[in-house]
Coordinates of all heavy atoms in Angstrom, one line a residue:
V26 N -18.7 -41.2 5.6 CA -19.3 -40.6 4.5 C -20.3 -39.5 5.1 O -20.4 -38.4 4.6 CB -20.1 -41.6 3.6 CG1 -21.0 -40.8 2.6 CG2 -19.2 -42.5 2.9
D27 N -21.1 -39.9 6.1 CA -22.0 -39.0 6.8 C -21.3 -37.9 7.4 O -21.7 -36.7 7.2 CB -22.8 -39.8 7.7 CG -23.9 -40.6 7.1 OD1 -24.3 -40.4 6.0 OD2 -24.4 -41.6 7.8
D28 N -20.3 -38.1 8.1 CA -19.6 -37.0 8.9 C -19.0 -36.1 7.9 O -19.0 -34.8 8.1 CB -18.5 -37.5 9.8 CG -19.1 -38.2 11.1 OD1 -20.3 -37.9 11.4 OD2 -18.4 -38.8 11.8
H29 N -18.5 -36.5 6.7 CA -18.0 -35.6 5.8 C -19.1 -34.7 5.1 O -19.0 -33.5 5.0 CB -17.2 -36.4 4.7 CG -16.8 -35.5 3.5 ND1 -15.8 -34.6 3.6 CD2 -17.3 -35.4 2.2 CE1 -15.7 -33.9 2.4 NE2 -16.6 -34.4 1.6
L30 N -20.1 -35.4 4.6 CA -21.2 -34.8 3.9 C -22.0 -33.8 4.8 O -22.5 -32.7 4.4 CB -22.2 -35.7 3.3 CG -21.6 -36.6 2.2 CD1 -22.6 -37.5 1.6 CD2 -21.0 -35.8 1.0
M31 N -22.0 -34.1 6.1 CA -22.7 -33.3 7.1 C -21.8 -32.2 7.7 O -22.2 -31.5 8.6 CB -23.4 -34.1 8.1 CG -24.5 -35.0 7.7 SD -25.1 -36.1 8.9 CE -26.2 -37.1 7.9
E32 N -20.6 -32.2 7.2 CA -19.5 -31.2 7.5 C -19.3 -31.2 9.1 O -19.2 -30.1 9.7 CB -20.0 -29.8 7.0 CG -20.1 -29.7 5.5 CD -20.5 -28.3 5.1 OE1 -21.3 -27.7 5.8 OE2 -20.1 -27.9 4.0
I33 N -19.2 -32.4 9.7 CA -18.9 -32.5 11.1 C -17.6 -32.1 11.4 O -16.6 -32.6 10.8 CB -19.2 -33.9 11.5 CG1 -20.7 -34.4 11.3 CG2 -18.9 -34.1 13.0 CD1 -21.7 -33.5 11.9
S34 N -17.4 -31.1 12.3 CA -16.1 -30.5 12.6 C -15.4 -31.3 13.7 O -14.1 -31.3 13.8 CB -16.2 -29.1 13.0 OG -16.9 -28.9 14.1
H35 N -16.1 -31.8 14.7 CA -15.6 -32.4 15.9 C -16.4 -33.8 16.1 O -17.6 -33.7 16.1 CB -15.7 -31.5 17.1 CG -14.9 -30.2 17.0 ND1 -15.2 -29.2 16.2 CD2 -13.7 -29.9 17.6 CE1 -14.3 -28.2 16.4 NE2 -13.4 -28.7 17.2
V36 N -15.7 -34.8 16.4 CA -16.4 -36.0 16.7 C -16.0 -36.4 18.2 O -14.8 -36.8 18.5 CB -15.9 -37.2 15.8 CG1 -16.4 -38.5 16.3 CG2 -16.4 -36.9 14.4
F37 N -16.9 -36.2 19.1 CA -16.8 -36.6 20.5 C -17.5 -37.8 20.8 O -18.8 -37.8 20.6 CB -17.3 -35.4 21.4 CG -16.6 -34.1 21.3 CD1 -17.1 -32.9 21.8 CD2 -15.4 -34.0 20.7 CE1 -16.5 -31.7 21.7 CE2 -14.7 -32.8 20.5 CZ -15.3 -31.6 21.1
R38 N -16.9 -38.9 21.2 CA -17.6 -40.2 21.4 C -16.8 -41.0 22.4 O -15.7 -40.6 22.9 CB -17.7 -40.9 20.1 CG -16.3 -41.2 19.4 CD -16.5 -41.7 18.0 NE -15.3 -42.0 17.3 CZ -15.2 -42.3 16.0 NH1 -16.2 -42.4 15.3 NH2 -14.0 -42.6 15.5
G39 N -17.5 -42.1 22.8 CA -16.9 -42.9 23.9 C -15.6 -43.6 23.3 O -15.4 -43.8 22.1
E40 N -14.7 -43.9 24.3 CA -13.4 -44.5 23.9 C -13.5 -45.9 23.4 O -12.6 -46.5 22.9 CB -12.4 -44.4 25.0 CG -12.7 -45.2 26.2 CD -11.6 -45.0 27.4 OE1 -10.7 -44.2 27.2 OE2 -11.8 -45.8 28.3
D41 N -14.7 -46.5 23.4 CA -14.9 -47.8 22.9 C -14.8 -47.8 21.4 O -14.7 -48.8 20.7 CB -16.2 -48.4 23.4 CG -17.4 -47.5 23.2 OD1 -17.2 -46.3 23.3 OD2 -18.5 -48.1 22.9
H42 N -14.9 -46.6 20.8 CA -14.8 -46.4 19.4 C -13.3 -46.2 18.9 O -13.1 -45.9 17.8 CB -15.7 -45.2 19.0 CG -17.1 -45.5 18.9 ND1 -17.7 -46.3 18.0 CD2 -18.2 -45.1 19.8 CE1 -19.0 -46.4 18.2 NE2 -19.3 -45.7 19.3
L43 N -12.5 -46.1 19.9 CA -11.1 -45.7 19.5 C -10.5 -46.7 18.5 O -9.8 -46.2 17.6 CB -10.2 -45.7 20.8 CG -8.8 -45.1 20.6 CD1 -8.8 -43.8 20.1 CD2 -8.0 -45.2 22.0
S44 N -10.7 -47.9 18.6 CA -10.2 -48.9 17.7 C -10.8 -48.7 16.2 O -10.2 -49.2 15.3 CB -10.5 -50.4 18.2 OG -11.9 -50.6 18.3
N45 N -12.0 -48.1 16.1 CA -12.5 -47.9 14.8 C -11.8 -46.6 14.1 O -11.9 -46.6 12.9 CB -14.0 -47.5 15.0 CG -14.8 -48.7 15.4 OD1 -14.6 -49.8 14.9 ND2 -15.8 -48.5 16.3
T46 N -11.2 -45.8 14.8 CA -10.8 -44.5 14.3 C -9.8 -44.7 13.2 O -9.8 -44.0 12.1 CB -10.3 -43.6 15.4 OG1 -11.3 -43.5 16.4 CG2 -10.0 -42.2 14.9
P47 N -8.8 -45.5 13.4 CA -7.7 -45.6 12.2 C -8.4 -46.1 10.9 O -8.0 -45.6 9.9 CB -6.8 -46.7 12.8 CG -7.4 -47.4 14.0 CD -8.3 -46.4 14.5
K48 N -9.4 -47.0 11.0 CA -10.0 -47.4 9.8 C -10.8 -46.3 9.1 O -10.8 -46.1 7.9 CB -11.0 -48.6 10.1 CG -10.4 -49.9 10.5 CD -11.5 -50.9 10.8 CE -10.8 -52.2 11.2 NZ -11.9 -53.3 11.4
Q49 N -11.4 -45.4 10.0 CA -12.2 -44.3 9.4 C -11.2 -43.2 8.9 O -11.5 -42.7 7.8 CB -13.1 -43.7 10.6 CG -14.1 -44.7 11.0 CD -14.8 -44.2 12.3 OE1 -14.7 -43.0 12.7 NE2 -15.6 -45.1 12.9
I50 N -10.0 -43.1 9.5 CA -9.1 -42.1 9.0 C -8.6 -42.6 7.6 O -8.4 -41.7 6.7 CB -8.0 -41.8 10.0 CG1 -8.6 -41.0 11.2 CG2 -6.8 -41.0 9.3 CD1 -7.6 -40.8 12.2
M51 N -8.3 -43.8 7.5 CA -7.9 -44.4 6.2 C -8.9 -44.1 5.1 O -8.6 -43.7 4.0 CB -7.8 -45.9 6.3 CG -6.6 -46.4 7.0 SD -6.6 -48.1 7.2 CE -5.4 -48.5 8.5
I52 N -10.2 -44.2 5.4 CA -11.3 -43.8 4.4 C -11.3 -42.3 4.1 O -11.3 -41.9 3.0 CB -12.7 -44.3 4.9 CG1 -12.6 -45.8 5.1 CG2 -13.7 -43.9 4.0 CD1 -13.9 -46.4 5.8
Y53 N -11.2 -41.6 5.1 CA -11.0 -40.1 4.9 C -9.9 -39.8 3.9 O -10.0 -39.0 3.0 CB -10.7 -39.4 6.2 CG -12.0 -39.0 7.0 CD1 -12.3 -39.7 8.2 CD2 -12.8 -38.0 6.6 CE1 -13.4 -39.4 8.9 CE2 -13.9 -37.6 7.4 CZ -14.2 -38.3 8.6 OH -15.2 -38.0 9.3
E54 N -8.7 -40.4 4.2 CA -7.5 -40.2 3.4 C -7.8 -40.6 1.9 O -7.2 -40.1 1.0 CB -6.3 -40.7 4.0 CG -5.9 -40.0 5.3 CD -4.8 -40.7 6.1 OE1 -4.5 -41.9 5.7 OE2 -4.2 -40.1 7.0
A55 N -8.4 -41.8 1.8 CA -8.7 -42.5 0.4 C -9.5 -41.4 -0.4 O -9.3 -41.3 -1.6 CB -9.3 -43.7 0.6
F56 N -10.4 -40.7 0.2 CA -11.2 -39.8 -0.5 C -10.6 -38.4 -0.7 O -11.0 -37.6 -1.4 CB -12.6 -39.6 0.2 CG -13.6 -40.6 -0.1 CD1 -14.1 -41.5 0.9 CD2 -14.1 -40.8 -1.3 CE1 -15.0 -42.4 0.7 CE2 -15.1 -41.8 -1.6 CZ -15.5 -42.6 -0.5
G57 N -9.5 -38.1 0.1 CA -8.8 -36.9 0.1 C -9.6 -35.8 0.9 O -9.6 -34.6 0.7
W58 N -10.4 -36.3 1.9 CA -11.2 -35.4 2.7 C -10.4 -35.1 4.0 O -9.5 -35.8 4.6 CB -12.5 -36.1 3.2 CG -13.4 -36.4 2.1 CD1 -13.4 -35.9 0.8 CD2 -14.4 -37.4 2.1 NE1 -14.4 -36.4 0.0 CE2 -15.1 -37.4 0.8 CE3 -14.9 -38.3 3.0 CZ2 -16.2 -38.2 0.5 CZ3 -16.0 -39.2 2.7 CH2 -16.6 -39.0 1.5
E59 N -10.7 -33.9 4.6 CA -10.0 -33.5 5.8 C -10.8 -34.2 7.0 O -12.1 -34.4 7.0 CB -10.4 -32.0 6.0 CG -9.8 -31.3 7.2 CD -10.0 -29.8 7.4 OE1 -10.5 -29.3 6.4 OE2 -9.7 -29.3 8.4
T60 N -10.1 -34.6 7.9 CA -10.6 -35.3 9.1 C -11.1 -34.4 10.1 O -10.6 -33.3 10.3 CB -9.5 -36.3 9.6 OG1 -8.4 -35.6 10.1 CG2 -9.1 -37.4 8.7
P61 N -12.1 -34.7 10.8 CA -12.6 -33.9 11.9 C -11.7 -34.0 13.2 O -10.7 -34.9 13.1 CB -14.0 -34.5 12.3 CG -13.9 -35.9 11.9 CD -13.0 -35.9 10.7
V62 N -11.8 -33.1 14.2 CA -11.1 -33.3 15.4 C -11.8 -34.4 16.2 O -13.0 -34.4 16.4 CB -11.3 -32.0 16.2 CG1 -10.5 -32.2 17.6 CG2 -10.6 -30.9 15.4
F63 N -11.0 -35.3 16.7 CA -11.5 -36.5 17.4 C -11.2 -36.4 18.9 O -10.2 -35.8 19.3 CB -10.9 -37.9 17.0 CG -11.3 -38.3 15.6 CD1 -10.6 -38.1 14.5 CD2 -12.6 -39.0 15.5 CE1 -11.0 -38.6 13.2 CE2 -12.9 -39.5 14.3 CZ -12.2 -39.2 13.1
M64 N -12.2 -36.8 19.7 CA -12.0 -36.9 21.1 C -12.8 -38.1 21.6 O -14.0 -38.2 21.5 CB -12.5 -35.6 21.9 CG -12.3 -35.7 23.4 SD -12.8 -34.2 24.3 CE -14.5 -34.3 24.3
H65 N -12.0 -39.0 22.2 CA -12.6 -40.3 22.8 C -12.7 -40.2 24.3 O -11.6 -40.1 25.0 CB -11.8 -41.5 22.3 CG -11.8 -41.6 20.8 ND1 -11.0 -41.0 19.9 CD2 -12.7 -42.4 20.1 CE1 -11.3 -41.3 18.7 NE2 -12.3 -42.1 18.7
I66 N -13.9 -40.2 24.8 CA -14.2 -39.9 26.2 C -14.2 -41.3 27.0 O -14.8 -42.2 26.5 CB -15.5 -39.2 26.3 CG1 -15.6 -38.0 25.5 CG2 -15.8 -39.0 27.8 CD1 -17.0 -37.5 25.3
P67 N -13.5 -41.3 28.1 CA -13.5 -42.6 28.9 C -14.9 -43.0 29.2 O -15.8 -42.1 29.5 CB -12.7 -42.2 30.2 CG -11.8 -41.1 29.7 CD -12.6 -40.4 28.6
L68 N -15.2 -44.3 29.4 CA -16.5 -44.8 29.6 C -17.0 -44.6 31.0 O -16.1 -44.4 31.9 CB -16.5 -46.3 29.2 CG -16.2 -46.6 27.8 CD1 -16.3 -48.1 27.6 CD2 -17.0 -45.9 26.8
I69 N -18.3 -44.6 31.2 CA -18.8 -44.7 32.5 C -18.7 -46.0 33.0 O -19.0 -47.0 32.3 CB -20.3 -44.2 32.6 CG1 -20.3 -42.7 32.1 CG2 -20.9 -44.3 33.9 CD1 -21.8 -42.2 32.0

């Protein structure tokens, strides 16, 4: 909800969030919202 309302275009975050991404994309699709560009960065 926040990323959509704040018009976030790119989500760069740690790859520990990778498993959350499909759930988030389902929510985007349920609202009919465009998804941002995702990049999951390997952890330190």
Side-chain angles (χ1 to χ4, degrees):
V26 173
D27 284 339
D28 283 349
H29 171 73
L30 295 180
M31 295 177 188
E32 300 179 325
I33 300 302
S34 62
H35 296 72
V36 173
F37 298 164
R38 58 190 179 189
E40 66 180 7
D41 51 329
H42 285 287
L43 187 59
S44 60
N45 292 318
T46 308
K48 292 180 180 179
Q49 293 171 14
I50 289 177
M51 290 177 190
I52 296 171
Y53 275 106
E54 292 174 346
F56 280 117
W58 295 340
E59 184 179 350
T60 58
V62 176
F63 287 100
M64 181 174 75
H65 293 87
I66 305 166
L68 301 181
I69 297 177

